[in-house]
Amino acid sequence: MRARSGLLDEDGEPVNRWWFVFADDRARQVYPDWDRVADERIAELRAESSLDDPFLAHLVEELEIVGGAPFTDRLAAAPAAPRRTGLERLVHPEAGELRLSYESLDSGGQRLVVYLPADEGTAAALDRLTLHGPVALRAVSG
């Protein structure tokens, strides 16, 4: 049985990005740059959702309780625009630290975030995890 990365629930389904960062204790182990990731998740939350959205209102209510001050303090702070590109580091239980370049694309009210290995070490670790051989896509600096 493979170890879970902490980004999946018990059934192997992806968890809500905001819930994981603020309500799951494993997030601080998974994200070495947790404070920066938490700030970015709040910026995304503000940019991607309307406060009139009942789903968002319910999520915010729950996170105010289970996320506590790390969530509420960030939510009360001055708004910041979410980053569209960057580097995210995370620690995988089998592969160790992964460095992923990301780019966020917005279209018609939907957001797609593309992650690619940022270096050869991460690319090799992802190849080992997928068991499908080398992945052809790589991030390039430009």
Side-chain angles (χ1 to χ4, degrees):
M1 183 162 115
R2 295 174 61 113
R4 293 177 332 161
S5 70
L7 300 175
L8 304 175
D9 68 13
E10 297 297 326
D11 298 320
E13 296 296 318
V15 296
N16 179 289
R17 292 163 45 99
W18 301 303
W19 185 267
F20 180 73
V21 168
F22 292 104
D24 194 317
D25 293 334
R26 297 172 295 168
R28 291 180 188 263
Q29 295 168 349
V30 169
Y31 293 111
D33 305 316
W34 185 87
D35 284 314
R36 184 184 53 76
V37 170
D39 290 342
E40 289 179 12
R41 293 301 181 265
I42 290 293
E44 293 166 4
L45 182 70
R46 287 181 171 143
E48 294 176 16
S49 303
S50 165
L51 293 177
D52 297 330
D53 178 351
F55 171 77
L56 176 64
H58 182 72
L59 177 65
V60 167
E61 284 177 17
E62 288 182 336
L63 287 176
E64 286 174 340
I65 295 167
V66 297
F71 177 78
T72 58
D73 292 350
R74 283 176 171 83
L75 193 60
R83 296 181 59 191
R84 298 295 177 207
T85 63
L87 179 80
E88 196 163 287
R89 295 185 317 140
L90 62 94
V91 178
H92 187 279
E94 294 174 26
E97 184 174 309
L98 302 173
R99 294 170 34 88
L100 301 169
S101 294
Y102 69 88
E103 184 165 351
S104 175
L105 309 167
D106 294 312
S107 176
Q110 297 212 355
R111 180 171 184 240
L112 171 69
V113 181
V114 178
Y115 287 92
L116 294 172
D119 55 49
E120 287 304 315
T122 296
L126 292 174
D127 290 344
R128 287 189 301 277
L129 286 173
T130 62
L131 302 175
H132 296 296
V135 176
L137 296 174
R138 299 286 189 261
V140 294
S141 58

